[in-house]
Amino acid sequence: MSGHRIGAIRQLRWADIDFEGETVRWRAEHDKTGYEHTTPLTPAALSALEEAWRKNPGSVDAPILPAPTNPSACMSSAMAYEWWSRADRLAGLEPKPGRGWHSLRRKFASDLMDQPLKVLCQLGGWKTAKTVLRCYQRADEDQLRQALANRPVHA
């Protein structure tokens, strides 16, 4: 799982994946804020990428998510939206405002709330912590209750 924007994900190319180093490079030209950085790949992500590469080896300049009609071009944002809509329908989910690719970014930030903010920012592609705190992290009721239960009690 990644906290990166779908625009950055859909524009990844095989050259951005370092299979030996188990990392992915996020190019500045594909990031809304121009933040170029590298993050480690999880074993599951690495395995899925290796399998995809084995099934369809090609140029390292080829996109990982190619456009259906042009394998040398990255899939469009409209296609990514269609994939999300189709997944929603297949899952039988009721349409809900705010649910979409960007909701995965909010979930990523909230799921990793217990990590140092600097680590979360690097993993999710946020240039500054201010954006994460203002827009992305959401404490749920369990986290709030846990925080209260763990607070020091003074007599």
Side-chain angles (χ1 to χ4, degrees):
M1 188 166 140
S2 172
H4 289 80
R5 291 175 187 86
I6 188 60
I9 294 169
R10 68 181 181 77
Q11 294 186 71
L12 285 171
R13 297 191 173 268
W14 288 110
D16 298 322
I17 306 301
D18 178 352
F19 287 105
E20 288 182 21
E22 301 179 355
T23 60
V24 59
R25 173 182 57 159
W26 302 94
R27 298 182 193 205
E29 65 263 29
H30 302 272
D31 185 81
K32 179 179 170 182
T33 62
Y35 179 40
E36 180 145 342
H37 61 289
T38 302
T39 59
L41 289 163
T42 64
L46 185 63
S47 177
L49 287 165
E50 287 170 339
E51 182 179 343
W53 178 256
R54 277 192 306 274
K55 286 183 176 181
N56 196 16
S59 165
V60 294
D61 290 326
I64 294 172
L65 297 170
T69 57
N70 181 359
S72 64
C74 296
M75 72 181 298
S76 67
S77 56
M79 176 63 71
Y81 177 78
E82 176 53 35
W83 280 10
W84 185 275
S85 298
R86 190 178 320 156
D88 251 4
R89 284 190 307 275
L90 290 171
L93 299 175
E94 292 288 326
K96 182 177 176 183
R99 185 190 304 135
W101 289 108
H102 213 73
S103 64
L104 297 179
R105 200 158 152 79
R106 286 189 296 275
K107 180 168 178 25
F108 185 86
S110 295
D111 286 351
L112 295 178
M113 198 178 295
D114 61 335
Q115 295 301 309
L117 201 48
K118 189 104 174 142
V119 170
L120 172 61
C121 288
Q122 178 75 19
L123 287 173
W126 288 282
K127 236 180 190 178
T128 66
K130 184 170 129 181
T131 304
V132 173
L133 295 171
R134 188 180 67 232
C135 303
Y136 289 96
Q137 285 187 332
R138 305 268 195 269
D140 64 26
E141 187 175 337
D142 289 341
Q143 290 168 316
L144 297 174
R145 290 187 184 286
Q146 188 67 36
L148 287 173
N150 291 336
R151 77 185 188 286
V153 179
H154 301 302

